[in-house]
Amino acid sequence: MQVPSSSDEDSDPGEFSDNGSQHSTSGGPGSVGSASLAPNNGRRVSSTPSVSSLGAQLTAGSNGSRRQSVTGAAGSVTVNIGGGGGSGSIGGMGGGGVSGIGGVGVMASVSPPDLSITSASEDDKEEKRKELLQMYVFVLRCIAYPFNATHPSDIPRRYIKVTRTNLETIRQRFMSFLNGETQIVADEAFILSVESYCDIFLSSDRVTNLVKSGGCSSHDLRELFRNSIEKRVRCLPDVEGVSRETVISSWLAKYDAIYRGDEDPRRSNARMNAANMEMYLSKDHLYDLFQGIMDVPKYEHQILYNACQLDNSDEQAAQIRRELDALRHAIENNTLPQLEFTKNEMKLRYKEERWNAYKQLKENLEKLPLSKVNPDHKPKKGGHIINASMLMNEDSESTLTKSDTALTFSLEVIIHEVQGIGFLQPHKIVYCTMEVEGGEKLRTDAALADKPKWRTQGDFKTNQPLPVLKIKLYTENSSLISLDDKELGRLVLYPNSNWLETPENHTMTPKHHQNSSDKIKIKIGVKMDKPQGMKKCGYLYCMGQSHWKKWKKRFFVLIQVSQYTFALCSFHTKKSDPQEMIQVDGYTVDYTDSPPDENCKSENKAELFHFKGVKEGDWISFAASDENDRQLWIQKLYQATGQTHKPIPHNSVSISVNSGRPIDRSRARNHGMEDFVQANPLDFDHNQLFSQLQSLSLEKRLNDNYTSLGWLSPGQKFLLDEFCARYGVRTCYRHLCYINELLSYADKGQMIDATLIQYSYLHCTSHFKNSGSVTITTQEKEMLDEINSKLQAWLTKNITNFWNYYPFGKPDGALKATVQLFEKLKMDDGRKTENQQKEFAAEMKKLMEIAALENYTSLSSCVQGTGGGNGTDYEKKLEEVIVLAESCRDLLRMTEEYYDDIWSKFPGLLNYHSEVLWSLFSVDMDDAIKAQPEDTWNCFMLFQLLNDYLKNEPNLRNGKFHKHLRLLFAPKVIRYIDLMESSIALSININFQKETWIPVEGGNAASEDLLYKLGKLQQFVSYLSWPDEVFGKHLTQRISLMAADMIGSCVKRTSDFFEAKLKRGRRNIDYLVPAEICVAINVVVSCLSQLKELCGDEIDGGQHHYHADVETYLNNTLVMFRNQLIEKLNAAIETVLSKLSNYDEGTITASIFSWMKPGNELATNYIKSIGRNLKILSEKIIHENFMMPLFGCWYEKILYLINEWLTDRLDVSLHPYQISTISLLMQGLHEYFEGVGVKEADIKCHLYHSINTHIQIEQGSNRDSDKYDNAVIDAST
């Protein structure tokens, strides 16, 4: 590294090495006799340290030996630090010294080492900047004149990327909606959908990770919401007049409103428009794009833009021809950069590849229409026609014909006015005619001689580069004898395409008989358009060896026949075909100061400016009348020949020839950019340059505001395609670098689309398979091996972590592409044999096993510590396992929902993943179950949770884990039922001993407790839904039998209490049914009503005999209760009838009791007793199924006893008191029993009619007795 002197500000200082290596720095011209290190680029150094201070600094930082050599132009200074002492050692160096070499005894000033390190880093930065600018020049040329790449037609739509900040904002907006802080009106169904969306998706850590990876777009979040609401809407009931599609559209509109928040919709539309601007691949867009990608300042871009003449399509086409010519020479001379190939025979093949690439480039250039040369040029009808058959042929040079150089010119002539015709009378009429020789004649309008102004335009078409334009001035002849108008003057012009459009005055030639002193001037403007293929025209002196052999001034036209073919033609006046012509390919144009001959002079002896064209075996010498014209001709011919040598004038005088280009070149030179513009592309490793360019493009793409997943934008891809084709970048190397870059970003957590990697990888593998016909470098072979290793690791990681890397199946198709790429990687030969498929299936099975482990580990880490804080350790452990089971269940459900279409290609793979996941879970489950104390039953919640899921999954039902679950919980279920049976039996005894027979719901406390426990036990077995049919039936039968036993025991105790209680009651008219009797009845009826539910309807095709016995027993018990209660209640009516028997006719007591004049108290008391008992029974017995039959039987039994009593007295007459009492009883019974709901038909039965008939007969026989009749009437009233 050179050491800059104090006056050299553009060099970098020397650098110290920390590993003891020697760094040699050499000074500039001013370093003779002294050595110094000056700071570079104005670095701030307060003072130059001495060697002793430098040695102290270095000794303090290292114990090794260091040496720095500063070499000047005439001597050197060596500084030894920490090593052996040298001559002229300096104290404080720790044994080091400074020795002068070459008689130089001046102490050197050395810069500090930290500045040297900084200088080295800045040197690297400067080199990178220069390399970047050089690459930018190549990029600019590709943008300015592309001729290989095609614009993509299938441009994908880009969506806005969701960042972490955006995600948090979105969450806040949705929470604001759920909290009612927005003005969006929504129904309950939509609110529930939003709540579910927030809980499942927006709050998911997996979505957060997707956002961090840059793979989540606003479109993805919207699609997740759409999928969720579509499932919900399908479950909603149909609403007449509103379709499900309408509901979904309405909900999506509300979602967009929530997502957008208070943001103006126009801003989001503007962002989407900005995202799709890349569809329009204009040059300005590409310039701005790559200026940002390569971080080139605007002023540097403008300098390079002007210096490269990017707005000049001719110069860009010429640059391509020069590059192709240099490439051809390099191929022919075997001077191409040598690459190291895997096989020696590939070297010759590589030369063939480059030659074919060269021919392809040349052919692509030839295929471009000439309008590509000047995109702003609008060809007119009948313009220059290109010979389409003139394509490049490498074997034989194409021969041009005169028809290939045919041109069509448009000539516009505008006649403004005429001066100098004052000799005519003012009222005379004048007009002009114009014609191109060989064409039609045009005439202006008539004008008065005192105002001869027209501004009339005439348009002509001609195929002559040097046409003859004739203009004549006439005045109308008023003589009747002469028929022709009088010609006043004429003008002949020889226009060409170099003429300016500015109107000029020309002197017309008068008629020979006209006074010559009258000078007629005409002001006309002539414009002759350049045809599309004409690049330059003008007069030149010329002489050549085989063409134009005589020194003569000729009119030359440079014509572009095709993109790669130019012809230089000389034309005569009024001729459309060239007199002579050459094809300029192969010529080298350059400046010269001497003419080819002493006699080669101009016609007027004026100074000429010479230049020449040289070709092997031929030469042509040209001369222009001025320097500016010479430079223009040389520039155009330089662009046309495609020569690599750039013509440079011999003197330093530079005349502006093309809109200030020398000034632009001067600016580029002043900024140190001239070398970038003039650099030969063959001097650079374009593979390496392209690798950097592609890396920068990908970095820009991944860091913009839109999701790309590694896909380059259409503009980037277009430019990179053009760069590769133009500068010979190896396609395989391009794809290998691209894969390498993508994998590097993927390792950093960036979301990369596997489809993109697959495209490039398949191209590379296809290239390597055809190694017999293509070339493969050792670098490419090493890169592919490295990529295979990295790619397999990346794919394995993605597949095994698909749950986290591709949450909810997003991005769309990413996981599917990953699996496909993994399959391609494993089956690299492209053939899918049966063995390969089996091996790949086994490989996928291993990956899914790892995936299950990864998923379960992730779920376990999330669930750990979620157990309640107040419970014991085993309770917390069980709670964590239950939460973990729910998480596993949800994971598998979502896996089936979002990934089933991907894994369906591999039958049983998803099922295997599920079984492995549950097998991992079973370990924690077993530990948690074992940790539970004996006879604790909270674990049944876990069984129910898992069994409900597994029994509804066809692939997991009765699987390995399901069987393990049954085996684990079957003993616990049996133990639980055994304990429950003992507990219930014990509770029956205890509860009935303590029973107070207070009504509780449908029975008493003991019965309700029994039925509740039996119901819960029955519900427990039902909810278990035991998967094993045999064991499930066994559990059901056992619960049914146990329920029958327990209910029978309960009813037995109730029956005993009923009988005992009923016996303790008194038998009189005022007897009231005790409430305990009603409670006992309710207990039995309640047990009977729940018997079928608790014991089951049918077992093994018919009712179980034990169940039938219990039901019969309960029914018999109720019948017994009814009979005993009626018997107890009828004791009162028997007492009443017994008292009425005292009034029987013919008895001793009849006269006694009749003398006592009895009233209606007996009947009234009994009827009141009937009413009170009916009320008690109606209120206390809550089961109508027992109560109504009881009332009916009771009523019927009363009538039966009365009728029996009357039947026994058919032979005797009834006492009036007996008649009145029976009548009152019948009326009271009718009234009260009808009031409690006994049907009228049951009340007025045959016994009722029989009794009434008997009473009516008896009343008729006793009408003679007024007293008793009145008594009867009064009693009836």
Side-chain angles (χ1 to χ4, degrees), residues 859-883:
L859 293 178
S860 299
S861 61
C862 295
V863 171
Q864 192 172 12
T866 58
N870 298 326
T872 59
D873 292 339
Y874 68 86
E875 290 176 341
K876 294 178 182 178
K877 201 168 187 178
L878 180 61
E879 290 180 8
E880 290 181 1
V881 170
I882 292 176
V883 175

Side-chain angles (χ1 to χ4, degrees), residues 293-532:
I293 289 174
M294 306 179 73
D295 195 20
V296 177
K298 188 67 176 178
Y299 75 93
E300 291 184 349
H301 164 79
Q302 195 61 44
I303 291 173
L304 292 174
Y305 183 91
N306 295 332
C308 294
Q309 304 182 42
L310 298 181
D311 56 345
N312 188 344
S313 57
D314 289 341
E315 172 61 27
Q316 298 309 308
Q319 176 66 28
I320 295 174
R321 289 190 289 271
R322 289 191 289 270
E323 292 175 0
L324 292 180
D325 186 65
L327 177 60
R328 180 176 59 84
H329 282 293
I331 296 174
E332 292 174 349
N333 299 329
N334 201 22
T335 58
L336 290 172
Q338 296 300 318
L339 301 178
E340 186 177 353
F341 297 99
T342 57
K343 298 180 181 179
N344 291 330
E345 59 267 21
M346 291 184 179
K347 294 182 179 180
L348 182 60
R349 199 181 302 159
Y350 173 65
K351 185 176 181 180
E352 295 177 359
E353 286 181 356
R354 294 307 303 267
W355 183 253
N356 293 333
Y358 161 75
K359 291 195 295 183
Q360 185 63 46
L361 289 173
K362 209 168 184 181
E363 183 178 350
N364 292 344
L365 184 62
E366 285 289 342
K367 288 180 180 179
L368 285 182
L370 288 185
S371 59
K372 182 72 177 179
V373 178
N374 187 8
D376 297 331
H377 177 75
K378 298 180 180 179
K380 297 185 178 180
K381 185 177 180 181
H384 176 52
I385 301 176
I386 303 300
N387 188 356
S389 64
M390 296 189 60
L391 296 177
M392 180 55 53
N393 187 351
E394 296 297 333
D395 298 332
S396 61
E397 184 178 354
S398 302
T399 302
L400 292 177
T401 63
K402 292 184 178 181
S403 62
D404 294 328
T405 61
L407 301 173
T408 301
F409 299 87
S410 296
L411 187 65
E412 298 178 359
V413 182
I414 302 176
I415 300 179
H416 293 268
E417 60 181 354
V418 174
Q419 300 175 358
I421 58 174
F423 57 86
L424 293 178
Q425 296 180 3
H427 66 277
K428 283 287 188 180
I429 301 297
V430 294
Y431 63 92
C432 294
T433 62
M434 61 187 100
E435 67 173 322
V436 174
E437 189 166 328
E440 60 177 335
K441 182 185 292 185
L442 302 178
R443 168 182 166 170
T444 65
D445 296 333
L448 296 176
D450 58 345
K451 293 183 179 180
K453 297 182 180 180
W454 291 277
R455 289 190 61 83
T456 301
Q457 176 176 328
D459 296 329
F460 300 94
K461 295 287 185 180
T462 180
N463 53 5
Q464 303 170 7
L466 283 176
V468 176
L469 175 63
K470 296 180 179 180
I471 300 175
K472 297 180 180 180
L473 176 64
Y474 291 91
T475 180
E476 291 185 355
N477 197 343
S478 59
S479 173
L480 297 178
I481 299 175
S482 177
L483 297 178
D484 296 331
D485 293 333
K486 181 180 179 181
E487 180 182 341
L488 298 179
R490 64 176 58 188
L491 176 66
V492 179
L493 298 177
Y494 301 92
N496 58 63
S497 297
N498 292 332
W499 276 35
L500 300 178
E501 191 178 358
T502 306
E504 295 181 355
N505 290 322
H506 298 269
T507 301
M508 304 188 74
T509 302
K511 275 298 247 184
H512 61 277
H513 60 272
Q514 190 173 328
N515 187 1
S516 60
S517 61
D518 297 331
K519 293 185 178 181
I520 303 175
K521 293 186 177 181
I522 183 170
K523 185 177 182 181
I524 62 175
V526 180
K527 177 184 177 182
M528 190 170 178
D529 287 343
K530 276 187 177 182
Q532 183 176 334

Side-chain angles (χ1 to χ4, degrees), residues 199 466 555 797 1049 1162:
D199 295 338
L466 283 176
F555 185 80
K797 182 176 67 173
S1049 177
L1162 180 62

Side-chain angles (χ1 to χ4, degrees), residues 567-602:
L568 183 63
C569 308
S570 62
F571 287 87
H572 283 175
T573 304
K574 300 188 294 183
K575 299 297 183 180
S576 60
D577 293 333
Q579 180 192 13
E580 285 189 75
M581 58 181 290
I582 62 170
Q583 187 171 337
V584 300
D585 300 348
Y587 281 90
T588 300
V589 181
D590 201 356
Y591 292 88
T592 183
D593 295 333
S594 59
D597 195 332
E598 295 180 356
N599 298 324
C600 296
K601 299 180 180 179
S602 64

Side-chain angles (χ1 to χ4, degrees), residues 92 134 246 291 359 382 437 483 530 562-563 617 649 672 710 797 998 1047 1161 1228:
Q134 183 63 68
T246 304
Q291 184 180 339
K359 291 195 295 183
E437 189 166 328
L483 297 178
K530 276 187 177 182
S562 66
Q563 287 286 0
K797 182 176 67 173
I998 299 175
I1047 290 175
E1161 292 84 2

